[in-house]
Amino acid sequence: NPALLPSDIMMPRLDGLGLLSKVRNRPELKSTPVIFLSARAGDEAKVEGLHAGADDYLVKPFSAKELLVRVSNHIRINQVRRETEQQFYQLFLQAPAIINVFKGHEFRYELFHPKNKEIFGDVDFTGLTLREALPELEGQGIFELMEEVYTRGVTIYQNERLVNFTNKEGKLAARYLNFIYQPWYDIHGNI
């Protein structure tokens, strides 16, 4: 994966904002810093790029020295961010309960707890959406619960909820689960 992605805003077919959207929707690239380079000066253009999720915005012409300093800073900041996130996930992995982290409206596994293997066998759903990983949940109301958490920001507690999973033997098996689905907010207050 790239350490950083510099991109012009004005490009044929796919502009910088479209590229940024595609990058942010790919789990393996979502935290890659993106720097927009543009001849479009002014606060409005810069705010548009930053609001779209770019990490920085440089207006042409700029010096090579300025670009190198900004690139170095963003790579260093992103490295610290990734290390901090990994340390945070280690806390989840050491918890006595199974904690999974999903991101985005597709509910993509960001963290797949290893204790899940006791239920599903030797698999790792990291990077898969919940629908891709567990299509048998369709019609059981689980996707709807997740959608409610994601769109409304509510926390849902359920005890002894019947859920049918494909087990490690490949057969549909009934399980009664106690679970909590809760939103995870970023520093900007977004779920």
Side-chain angles (χ1 to χ4, degrees), residues 77-166:
I77 288 167
N78 193 47
Q79 184 177 6
V80 169
R81 182 186 310 139
R82 285 182 180 172
E83 288 171 2
T84 302
E85 188 175 76
Q86 288 306 311
Q87 289 173 352
F88 185 63
Y89 286 167
Q90 283 302 315
L91 177 65
F92 287 169
L93 295 174
Q94 295 169 20
I98 295 175
I99 299 173
N100 294 306
V101 176
F102 299 93
K103 289 228 177 147
H105 68 278
E106 293 181 317
F107 312 116
R108 190 168 300 280
Y109 276 96
E110 181 83 7
L111 176 71
F112 181 73
H113 199 287
K115 285 185 178 264
N116 282 305
K117 292 180 181 190
E118 295 171 10
I119 300 170
F120 304 112
D122 193 24
V123 295
D124 185 349
F125 296 154
T126 304
L128 296 178
T129 67
L130 186 59
R131 276 192 165 84
E132 291 168 341
L134 301 169
E136 65 269 22
L137 294 181
E138 193 68 55
Q140 296 188 55
I142 300 299
F143 297 135
E144 293 80 3
L145 292 176
M146 298 284 284
E147 188 66 36
E148 191 172 350
V149 171
Y150 185 75
T151 58
R152 294 188 43 229
V154 297
T155 299
I156 296 176
Y157 302 84
Q158 293 206 345
N159 291 318
E160 297 184 23
R161 166 74 183 255
L162 172 64
V163 181
N164 291 299
F165 291 114
T166 302

Side-chain angles (χ1 to χ4, degrees), residues 11-118:
M11 298 184 295
R13 289 184 288 181
L14 180 66
D15 68 1
L17 297 174
L19 175 65
L20 178 64
S21 175
K22 289 184 179 292
V23 166
R24 293 296 184 242
N25 286 323
R26 298 272 311 263
E28 68 276 14
L29 298 175
K30 70 174 179 48
S31 62
T32 301
V34 175
I35 297 179
F36 280 145
L37 313 172
S38 180
R40 291 177 56 201
D43 285 343
E44 192 172 307
K46 187 174 186 176
V47 167
E48 179 187 15
L50 295 173
H51 183 68
D55 295 277
D56 209 342
Y57 190 103
L58 263 74
V59 177
K60 299 173 188 174
F62 49 81
S63 71
K65 186 175 183 180
E66 179 183 9
L67 178 61
L68 287 173
V69 167
R70 289 189 187 216
V71 164
S72 297
N73 285 342
H74 283 290
I75 289 173
R76 191 176 67 252
I77 288 167
N78 193 47
Q79 184 177 6
V80 169
R81 182 186 310 139
R82 285 182 180 172
E83 288 171 2
T84 302
E85 188 175 76
Q86 288 306 311
Q87 289 173 352
F88 185 63
Y89 286 167
Q90 283 302 315
L91 177 65
F92 287 169
L93 295 174
Q94 295 169 20
I98 295 175
I99 299 173
N100 294 306
V101 176
F102 299 93
K103 289 228 177 147
H105 68 278
E106 293 181 317
F107 312 116
R108 190 168 300 280
Y109 276 96
E110 181 83 7
L111 176 71
F112 181 73
H113 199 287
K115 285 185 178 264
N116 282 305
K117 292 180 181 190
E118 295 171 10

